[in-house]
Amino acid sequence: MMKRAIAATWLALTATASMAAQPQTGACLTSSEVSDLAQVILPEAIGAAGVACASVLPPSATIRQTGSTMLSRYRSEADRAWPQAKRIIGKVGGVDDVAMLDSELVRPILTTMLVAQVTKTINVRDCGSIERIVTSLAPLPPRNTADVVAQMLLLTIQAKTRRGEKIDLPVCFETAK
């Protein structure tokens, strides 16, 4: 249930990182940077989940409301976060000149990759749970939701790292002081 939502967002972030070429040696993302990427990806991930779940959720479901106030807020915040996300993609991909990522094609390509990744990972049995998660987070400001998603991703990444599994998104694990 929740694992599927985490996995879908994880794959979206992985698509972002892999789009930026091979990770630069030593480059890793802080939790704040993962939140920035999540903020850019969230509206498209939610929209993709709505498409994937259209056969089992009613048209009134939150994730199926492509023109909703919630998604408008998320898209607006994603637009504001995009310049920072480009810098992060450049960091992971070893691109020193972020202007190379200024093409109007970069974001739509990322979105296309994201929609494909998210849609193929969603099992329709989990659509009700995904809907409940998104509906519960909807009243929060988009940044808070991005932070929640990022922290869930970071917990998943840490667990995979402890199990020795391959991680595609290079994350700097910050230690608590």
PDB file of all heavy atoms in Angstrom, residues 10-23 29 37 89 92-93 109-110 113-114 117 166 168-170:
ATOM      1  N   TRP A  10       9.767   7.083  -5.590  1.00  0.00           N
ATOM      2  CA  TRP A  10      11.183   6.705  -5.671  1.00  0.00           C
ATOM      3  C   TRP A  10      11.595   6.559  -7.134  1.00  0.00           C
ATOM      4  O   TRP A  10      12.621   7.065  -7.559  1.00  0.00           O
ATOM      5  CB  TRP A  10      11.410   5.414  -4.904  1.00  0.00           C
ATOM      6  CG  TRP A  10      12.698   4.732  -5.235  1.00  0.00           C
ATOM      7  CD1 TRP A  10      12.843   3.570  -5.915  1.00  0.00           C
ATOM      8  CD2 TRP A  10      14.009   5.169  -4.919  1.00  0.00           C
ATOM      9  NE1 TRP A  10      14.172   3.264  -6.045  1.00  0.00           N
ATOM     10  CE2 TRP A  10      14.899   4.233  -5.439  1.00  0.00           C
ATOM     11  CE3 TRP A  10      14.510   6.267  -4.242  1.00  0.00           C
ATOM     12  CZ2 TRP A  10      16.271   4.359  -5.310  1.00  0.00           C
ATOM     13  CZ3 TRP A  10      15.883   6.376  -4.118  1.00  0.00           C
ATOM     14  CH2 TRP A  10      16.731   5.440  -4.642  1.00  0.00           C
ATOM     15  N   LEU A  11      10.770   5.871  -7.921  1.00  0.00           N
ATOM     16  CA  LEU A  11      11.094   5.683  -9.336  1.00  0.00           C
ATOM     17  C   LEU A  11      11.101   7.017 -10.072  1.00  0.00           C
ATOM     18  O   LEU A  11      11.915   7.227 -10.972  1.00  0.00           O
ATOM     19  CB  LEU A  11      10.109   4.715  -9.983  1.00  0.00           C
ATOM     20  CG  LEU A  11      10.369   3.258  -9.620  1.00  0.00           C
ATOM     21  CD1 LEU A  11       9.230   2.384 -10.103  1.00  0.00           C
ATOM     22  CD2 LEU A  11      11.690   2.782 -10.205  1.00  0.00           C
ATOM     23  N   ALA A  12      10.226   7.911  -9.671  1.00  0.00           N
ATOM     24  CA  ALA A  12      10.224   9.233 -10.298  1.00  0.00           C
ATOM     25  C   ALA A  12      11.527   9.962 -10.016  1.00  0.00           C
ATOM     26  O   ALA A  12      12.128  10.566 -10.900  1.00  0.00           O
ATOM     27  CB  ALA A  12       9.038  10.049  -9.787  1.00  0.00           C
ATOM     28  N   LEU A  13      11.972   9.914  -8.781  1.00  0.00           N
ATOM     29  CA  LEU A  13      13.242  10.557  -8.437  1.00  0.00           C
ATOM     30  C   LEU A  13      14.406   9.869  -9.119  1.00  0.00           C
ATOM     31  O   LEU A  13      15.355  10.512  -9.568  1.00  0.00           O
ATOM     32  CB  LEU A  13      13.441  10.570  -6.921  1.00  0.00           C
ATOM     33  CG  LEU A  13      12.551  11.534  -6.154  1.00  0.00           C
ATOM     34  CD1 LEU A  13      12.740  11.332  -4.655  1.00  0.00           C
ATOM     35  CD2 LEU A  13      12.821  12.968  -6.529  1.00  0.00           C
ATOM     36  N   THR A  14      14.341   8.552  -9.238  1.00  0.00           N
ATOM     37  CA  THR A  14      15.385   7.806  -9.927  1.00  0.00           C
ATOM     38  C   THR A  14      15.435   8.212 -11.392  1.00  0.00           C
ATOM     39  O   THR A  14      16.508   8.396 -11.958  1.00  0.00           O
ATOM     40  CB  THR A  14      15.142   6.292  -9.801  1.00  0.00           C
ATOM     41  OG1 THR A  14      15.129   5.966  -8.420  1.00  0.00           O
ATOM     42  CG2 THR A  14      16.205   5.490 -10.504  1.00  0.00           C
ATOM     43  N   ALA A  15      14.260   8.392 -11.997  1.00  0.00           N
ATOM     44  CA  ALA A  15      14.219   8.833 -13.392  1.00  0.00           C
ATOM     45  C   ALA A  15      14.875  10.200 -13.533  1.00  0.00           C
ATOM     46  O   ALA A  15      15.600  10.460 -14.485  1.00  0.00           O
ATOM     47  CB  ALA A  15      12.771   8.884 -13.884  1.00  0.00           C
ATOM     48  N   THR A  16      14.657  11.067 -12.552  1.00  0.00           N
ATOM     49  CA  THR A  16      15.275  12.388 -12.568  1.00  0.00           C
ATOM     50  C   THR A  16      16.792  12.254 -12.538  1.00  0.00           C
ATOM     51  O   THR A  16      17.500  12.887 -13.313  1.00  0.00           O
ATOM     52  CB  THR A  16      14.827  13.210 -11.345  1.00  0.00           C
ATOM     53  OG1 THR A  16      13.416  13.309 -11.365  1.00  0.00           O
ATOM     54  CG2 THR A  16      15.420  14.600 -11.378  1.00  0.00           C
ATOM     55  N   ALA A  17      17.288  11.432 -11.659  1.00  0.00           N
ATOM     56  CA  ALA A  17      18.736  11.270 -11.523  1.00  0.00           C
ATOM     57  C   ALA A  17      19.337  10.620 -12.755  1.00  0.00           C
ATOM     58  O   ALA A  17      20.374  11.061 -13.248  1.00  0.00           O
ATOM     59  CB  ALA A  17      19.060  10.442 -10.279  1.00  0.00           C
ATOM     60  N   SER A  18      18.692   9.585 -13.273  1.00  0.00           N
ATOM     61  CA  SER A  18      19.271   8.901 -14.424  1.00  0.00           C
ATOM     62  C   SER A  18      19.206   9.758 -15.671  1.00  0.00           C
ATOM     63  O   SER A  18      20.044   9.643 -16.546  1.00  0.00           O
ATOM     64  CB  SER A  18      18.577   7.558 -14.655  1.00  0.00           C
ATOM     65  OG  SER A  18      17.233   7.747 -14.965  1.00  0.00           O
ATOM     66  N   MET A  19      18.233  10.658 -15.746  1.00  0.00           N
ATOM     67  CA  MET A  19      18.141  11.549 -16.883  1.00  0.00           C
ATOM     68  C   MET A  19      19.343  12.473 -16.941  1.00  0.00           C
ATOM     69  O   MET A  19      19.760  12.915 -18.004  1.00  0.00           O
ATOM     70  CB  MET A  19      16.868  12.394 -16.774  1.00  0.00           C
ATOM     71  CG  MET A  19      16.607  13.248 -17.976  1.00  0.00           C
ATOM     72  SD  MET A  19      15.256  14.328 -17.585  1.00  0.00           S
ATOM     73  CE  MET A  19      16.114  15.861 -17.785  1.00  0.00           C
ATOM     74  N   ALA A  20      19.926  12.751 -15.813  1.00  0.00           N
ATOM     75  CA  ALA A  20      21.041  13.689 -15.752  1.00  0.00           C
ATOM     76  C   ALA A  20      22.379  13.022 -16.038  1.00  0.00           C
ATOM     77  O   ALA A  20      23.412  13.578 -15.724  1.00  0.00           O
ATOM     78  CB  ALA A  20      21.074  14.343 -14.373  1.00  0.00           C
ATOM     79  N   ALA A  21      22.363  11.851 -16.622  1.00  0.00           N
ATOM     80  CA  ALA A  21      23.584  11.103 -16.992  1.00  0.00           C
ATOM     81  C   ALA A  21      24.098  10.325 -15.795  1.00  0.00           C
ATOM     82  O   ALA A  21      23.368  10.081 -14.843  1.00  0.00           O
ATOM     83  CB  ALA A  21      24.643  12.022 -17.550  1.00  0.00           C
ATOM     84  N   GLN A  22      25.359   9.952 -15.830  1.00  0.00           N
ATOM     85  CA  GLN A  22      25.943   9.186 -14.743  1.00  0.00           C
ATOM     86  C   GLN A  22      26.226  10.099 -13.560  1.00  0.00           C
ATOM     87  O   GLN A  22      26.706  11.208 -13.738  1.00  0.00           O
ATOM     88  CB  GLN A  22      27.252   8.540 -15.204  1.00  0.00           C
ATOM     89  CG  GLN A  22      27.053   7.508 -16.301  1.00  0.00           C
ATOM     90  CD  GLN A  22      26.169   6.372 -15.844  1.00  0.00           C
ATOM     91  OE1 GLN A  22      26.293   5.889 -14.727  1.00  0.00           O
ATOM     92  NE2 GLN A  22      25.258   5.939 -16.705  1.00  0.00           N
ATOM     93  N   PRO A  23      25.932   9.647 -12.339  1.00  0.00           N
ATOM     94  CA  PRO A  23      26.205  10.483 -11.176  1.00  0.00           C
ATOM     95  C   PRO A  23      27.683  10.837 -11.093  1.00  0.00           C
ATOM     96  O   PRO A  23      28.540  10.025 -11.375  1.00  0.00           O
ATOM     97  CB  PRO A  23      25.804   9.603  -9.988  1.00  0.00           C
ATOM     98  CG  PRO A  23      24.870   8.599 -10.552  1.00  0.00           C
ATOM     99  CD  PRO A  23      25.306   8.387 -11.973  1.00  0.00           C
ATOM    100  N   LEU A  29      22.992  13.815  -2.742  1.00  0.00           N
ATOM    101  CA  LEU A  29      21.897  14.735  -2.459  1.00  0.00           C
ATOM    102  C   LEU A  29      21.602  14.789  -0.972  1.00  0.00           C
ATOM    103  O   LEU A  29      21.530  13.758  -0.307  1.00  0.00           O
ATOM    104  CB  LEU A  29      20.638  14.295  -3.198  1.00  0.00           C
ATOM    105  CG  LEU A  29      20.743  14.184  -4.714  1.00  0.00           C
ATOM    106  CD1 LEU A  29      19.424  13.725  -5.305  1.00  0.00           C
ATOM    107  CD2 LEU A  29      21.179  15.495  -5.317  1.00  0.00           C
ATOM    108  N   LEU A  37      13.474  18.067  -5.252  1.00  0.00           N
ATOM    109  CA  LEU A  37      13.106  17.227  -6.396  1.00  0.00           C
ATOM    110  C   LEU A  37      11.688  16.682  -6.233  1.00  0.00           C
ATOM    111  O   LEU A  37      10.912  16.656  -7.200  1.00  0.00           O
ATOM    112  CB  LEU A  37      14.094  16.073  -6.552  1.00  0.00           C
ATOM    113  CG  LEU A  37      15.477  16.444  -7.071  1.00  0.00           C
ATOM    114  CD1 LEU A  37      16.394  15.228  -7.049  1.00  0.00           C
ATOM    115  CD2 LEU A  37      15.399  17.030  -8.466  1.00  0.00           C
ATOM    116  N   ILE A  89      19.831  18.392 -10.474  1.00  0.00           N
ATOM    117  CA  ILE A  89      20.029  17.442 -11.570  1.00  0.00           C
ATOM    118  C   ILE A  89      21.432  17.618 -12.136  1.00  0.00           C
ATOM    119  O   ILE A  89      22.133  16.643 -12.411  1.00  0.00           O
ATOM    120  CB  ILE A  89      18.948  17.628 -12.657  1.00  0.00           C
ATOM    121  CG1 ILE A  89      17.585  17.203 -12.108  1.00  0.00           C
ATOM    122  CG2 ILE A  89      19.299  16.822 -13.917  1.00  0.00           C
ATOM    123  CD1 ILE A  89      16.418  17.631 -12.970  1.00  0.00           C
ATOM    124  N   VAL A  92      24.004  16.028  -9.708  1.00  0.00           N
ATOM    125  CA  VAL A  92      24.047  14.568  -9.783  1.00  0.00           C
ATOM    126  C   VAL A  92      24.667  14.118 -11.104  1.00  0.00           C
ATOM    127  O   VAL A  92      25.422  13.157 -11.147  1.00  0.00           O
ATOM    128  CB  VAL A  92      22.632  13.965  -9.608  1.00  0.00           C
ATOM    129  CG1 VAL A  92      22.639  12.474  -9.883  1.00  0.00           C
ATOM    130  CG2 VAL A  92      22.109  14.237  -8.211  1.00  0.00           C
ATOM    131  N   GLY A  93      24.345  14.843 -12.168  1.00  0.00           N
ATOM    132  CA  GLY A  93      24.836  14.458 -13.484  1.00  0.00           C
ATOM    133  C   GLY A  93      26.211  14.986 -13.814  1.00  0.00           C
ATOM    134  O   GLY A  93      26.739  14.708 -14.887  1.00  0.00           O
ATOM    135  N   ILE A 109      10.550  16.174 -20.917  1.00  0.00           N
ATOM    136  CA  ILE A 109      11.133  14.842 -21.039  1.00  0.00           C
ATOM    137  C   ILE A 109      11.107  14.154 -19.678  1.00  0.00           C
ATOM    138  O   ILE A 109      10.734  12.989 -19.556  1.00  0.00           O
ATOM    139  CB  ILE A 109      12.567  14.908 -21.608  1.00  0.00           C
ATOM    140  CG1 ILE A 109      12.513  15.288 -23.084  1.00  0.00           C
ATOM    141  CG2 ILE A 109      13.295  13.582 -21.414  1.00  0.00           C
ATOM    142  CD1 ILE A 109      13.862  15.610 -23.687  1.00  0.00           C
ATOM    143  N   LEU A 110      11.485  14.897 -18.647  1.00  0.00           N
ATOM    144  CA  LEU A 110      11.443  14.369 -17.293  1.00  0.00           C
ATOM    145  C   LEU A 110      10.024  13.934 -16.944  1.00  0.00           C
ATOM    146  O   LEU A 110       9.806  12.841 -16.411  1.00  0.00           O
ATOM    147  CB  LEU A 110      11.940  15.415 -16.300  1.00  0.00           C
ATOM    148  CG  LEU A 110      11.764  15.096 -14.826  1.00  0.00           C
ATOM    149  CD1 LEU A 110      12.580  13.878 -14.444  1.00  0.00           C
ATOM    150  CD2 LEU A 110      12.149  16.292 -13.985  1.00  0.00           C
ATOM    151  N   MET A 113       9.076  10.718 -18.720  1.00  0.00           N
ATOM    152  CA  MET A 113       9.719   9.570 -18.068  1.00  0.00           C
ATOM    153  C   MET A 113       9.012   9.236 -16.765  1.00  0.00           C
ATOM    154  O   MET A 113       8.769   8.076 -16.448  1.00  0.00           O
ATOM    155  CB  MET A 113      11.199   9.883 -17.799  1.00  0.00           C
ATOM    156  CG  MET A 113      12.046   9.959 -19.048  1.00  0.00           C
ATOM    157  SD  MET A 113      13.712  10.603 -18.742  1.00  0.00           S
ATOM    158  CE  MET A 113      14.307   9.510 -17.466  1.00  0.00           C
ATOM    159  N   LEU A 114       8.688  10.271 -16.003  1.00  0.00           N
ATOM    160  CA  LEU A 114       8.026  10.096 -14.723  1.00  0.00           C
ATOM    161  C   LEU A 114       6.683   9.406 -14.883  1.00  0.00           C
ATOM    162  O   LEU A 114       6.399   8.429 -14.192  1.00  0.00           O
ATOM    163  CB  LEU A 114       7.834  11.456 -14.058  1.00  0.00           C
ATOM    164  CG  LEU A 114       6.798  11.511 -12.941  1.00  0.00           C
ATOM    165  CD1 LEU A 114       7.334  10.767 -11.737  1.00  0.00           C
ATOM    166  CD2 LEU A 114       6.465  12.925 -12.616  1.00  0.00           C
ATOM    167  N   GLN A 117       7.110   5.769 -15.619  1.00  0.00           N
ATOM    168  CA  GLN A 117       7.604   5.011 -14.467  1.00  0.00           C
ATOM    169  C   GLN A 117       6.522   4.838 -13.402  1.00  0.00           C
ATOM    170  O   GLN A 117       6.323   3.743 -12.881  1.00  0.00           O
ATOM    171  CB  GLN A 117       8.835   5.694 -13.852  1.00  0.00           C
ATOM    172  CG  GLN A 117      10.074   5.586 -14.692  1.00  0.00           C
ATOM    173  CD  GLN A 117      10.544   4.159 -14.828  1.00  0.00           C
ATOM    174  OE1 GLN A 117      10.408   3.340 -13.926  1.00  0.00           O
ATOM    175  NE2 GLN A 117      11.104   3.832 -15.972  1.00  0.00           N
ATOM    176  N   LYS A 166      21.209  -2.069  -4.430  1.00  0.00           N
ATOM    177  CA  LYS A 166      21.700  -0.985  -5.275  1.00  0.00           C
ATOM    178  C   LYS A 166      20.751   0.219  -5.169  1.00  0.00           C
ATOM    179  O   LYS A 166      19.538   0.066  -5.237  1.00  0.00           O
ATOM    180  CB  LYS A 166      21.789  -1.442  -6.727  1.00  0.00           C
ATOM    181  CG  LYS A 166      22.340  -0.387  -7.667  1.00  0.00           C
ATOM    182  CD  LYS A 166      22.373  -0.932  -9.091  1.00  0.00           C
ATOM    183  CE  LYS A 166      22.928   0.061 -10.064  1.00  0.00           C
ATOM    184  NZ  LYS A 166      22.160   1.268 -10.231  1.00  0.00           N
ATOM    185  N   ASP A 168      19.962   3.898  -6.922  1.00  0.00           N
ATOM    186  CA  ASP A 168      20.236   4.707  -8.106  1.00  0.00           C
ATOM    187  C   ASP A 168      20.352   6.195  -7.804  1.00  0.00           C
ATOM    188  O   ASP A 168      20.934   6.938  -8.572  1.00  0.00           O
ATOM    189  CB  ASP A 168      19.134   4.508  -9.152  1.00  0.00           C
ATOM    190  CG  ASP A 168      19.127   3.092  -9.707  1.00  0.00           C
ATOM    191  OD1 ASP A 168      20.226   2.521  -9.852  1.00  0.00           O
ATOM    192  OD2 ASP A 168      18.045   2.576  -9.986  1.00  0.00           O
ATOM    193  N   LEU A 169      19.783   6.621  -6.719  1.00  0.00           N
ATOM    194  CA  LEU A 169      19.801   8.036  -6.364  1.00  0.00           C
ATOM    195  C   LEU A 169      20.840   8.249  -5.274  1.00  0.00           C
ATOM    196  O   LEU A 169      20.695   7.733  -4.162  1.00  0.00           O
ATOM    197  CB  LEU A 169      18.411   8.475  -5.867  1.00  0.00           C
ATOM    198  CG  LEU A 169      18.182   9.958  -5.692  1.00  0.00           C
ATOM    199  CD1 LEU A 169      18.244  10.675  -7.031  1.00  0.00           C
ATOM    200  CD2 LEU A 169      16.829  10.207  -5.054  1.00  0.00           C
ATOM    201  N   PRO A 170      21.914   8.980  -5.580  1.00  0.00           N
ATOM    202  CA  PRO A 170      22.978   9.162  -4.584  1.00  0.00           C
ATOM    203  C   PRO A 170      22.544  10.126  -3.483  1.00  0.00           C
ATOM    204  O   PRO A 170      22.278  11.288  -3.732  1.00  0.00           O
ATOM    205  CB  PRO A 170      24.133   9.737  -5.410  1.00  0.00           C
ATOM    206  CG  PRO A 170      23.457  10.451  -6.545  1.00  0.00           C
ATOM    207  CD  PRO A 170      22.204   9.668  -6.831  1.00  0.00           C
TER     208      PRO A 170
END
